[in-house]
Amino acid sequence: AIVKDGPLALKGKIGAAAATAAFRNKKIKFNDPTLGKNGKIESLSTRFRTNLEKTAKTRGWISDIRAVGGMIAFKPFAGTMEDVKATLMACFELGVIAFSCGHGPYLVRMLPPLGAMHESEIDQACQLIESALAVCAKKNAEKGMTETGKNR
């Protein structure tokens, strides 16, 4: 069985072989409560995005928030590589692992294991991200930078 579209549509022979093996071993559950628009992953992704949107609205430190399934991204401050690197280091120091992506603007991106997480852990991660952004905002203020990354 070769899957041509949908979540199991993997490219190449390895993808088709893996999908075939999964079907034969009945390890794929199409009624899995973690999947679909009402599933756990989508629910936690929405919670993550909503928490980040609250930070954006109340603090103004982030924008361009994106959430597709478990993939989460946002633009810190002006979205420069310097802004992203500072945010990544501050997040890492607080225990949040993230990466950079994009180019003009640069973004902070994450792929948390939503299927294995709970709402409280999403809230905690978002609080840590906000704390990391606060550290960066303070450093920017000390350098005479505005919230958007421009000199005053």
Side-chain angles (χ1 to χ4, degrees), residues 48-63:
F48 213 122
R49 184 181 62 246
T50 301
N51 284 348
L52 291 176
E53 287 169 349
K54 286 177 187 174
T55 298
K57 186 176 181 179
T58 59
R59 303 292 191 165
W61 296 332
I62 61 174
S63 61

Side-chain angles (χ1 to χ4, degrees), residues 1-3 8-23 28:
I2 296 178
V3 180
L8 298 177
L10 305 172
K11 295 184 179 185
K13 294 179 182 177
I14 294 172
T20 301
F23 277 116
I28 296 176

Side-chain angles (χ1 to χ4, degrees), residues 31-49 68-70 72 112-122:
N31 60 350
D32 190 331
T34 60
L35 304 176
K37 66 180 180 179
N38 296 319
K40 177 181 179 181
I41 291 172
E42 188 61 31
S43 172
L44 292 179
S45 177
T46 299
R47 187 176 189 92
F48 213 122
R49 184 181 62 246
V68 178
I72 314 292
L114 297 180
M117 294 180 77
H118 302 283
E119 289 180 348
S120 62
E121 293 166 318
I122 298 298

Side-chain angles (χ1 to χ4, degrees), residues 1 5 20 57 64 105 109 117 134 137 145:
D5 58 347
T20 301
K57 186 176 181 179
D64 199 8
R109 76 169 175 86
M117 294 180 77
M145 305 290 277

Side-chain angles (χ1 to χ4, degrees), residues 52 55-56 59-66 72-91 98-110 129-137 140 145-150:
L52 291 176
T55 298
R59 303 292 191 165
W61 296 332
I62 61 174
S63 61
D64 199 8
I65 299 163
R66 305 172 188 186
I72 314 292
F74 62 88
K75 179 177 83 172
F77 306 100
T80 65
M81 181 52 87
E82 183 180 316
D83 291 333
V84 169
K85 284 182 181 179
T87 303
L88 291 175
M89 292 307 296
C91 283
F99 303 92
S100 65
C101 70
H103 186 285
Y106 295 93
L107 304 172
V108 170
R109 76 169 175 86
M110 296 162 262
I129 291 166
E130 186 169 341
S131 296
L133 290 163
V135 168
C136 295
N140 284 348
M145 305 290 277
T146 64
E147 298 293 317
T148 59
K150 297 179 182 176

